[in-house]
Amino acid sequence: MSEAFVIWLTHLGYKAAVSAGGVQFYNTATGKGFPRNVMIMANGRLNKAATQLFEEFKGHDPFEVA
């Protein structure tokens, strides 16, 4: 899994909780653009919410200056 994706999630406001099963990301914001229960499992697989966010992440230019 890309470290840049994890950094991007935290930049969006997600908080990470690490467990034996993987990393779960929580966000206090609600809405269609902020899925809940985003999880990267210990084997590197993404759940449905994480996959949706990863597709959006791939659409961004990683070298774009904010």
Side-chain angles (χ1 to χ4, degrees):
M1 184 52 45
S2 171
E3 288 180 34
F5 177 57
V6 174
I7 293 169
W8 184 74
L9 283 174
T10 57
H11 181 70
L12 290 178
Y14 283 89
K15 306 278 188 241
V18 180
S19 68
V23 181
Q24 183 139 10
F25 293 90
Y26 301 96
N27 196 348
T28 56
T30 57
K32 195 174 185 180
F34 294 101
R36 295 164 71 179
N37 300 325
V38 175
M39 185 167 189
I40 301 173
M41 295 170 219
N43 61 2
R45 296 191 65 193
L46 305 173
N47 69 351
K48 184 178 179 180
T51 303
Q52 291 172 345
L53 284 173
F54 189 71
E55 290 300 318
E56 183 179 341
F57 168 72
K58 288 192 311 187
H60 292 283
D61 183 10
F63 301 107
E64 181 180 323
V65 177

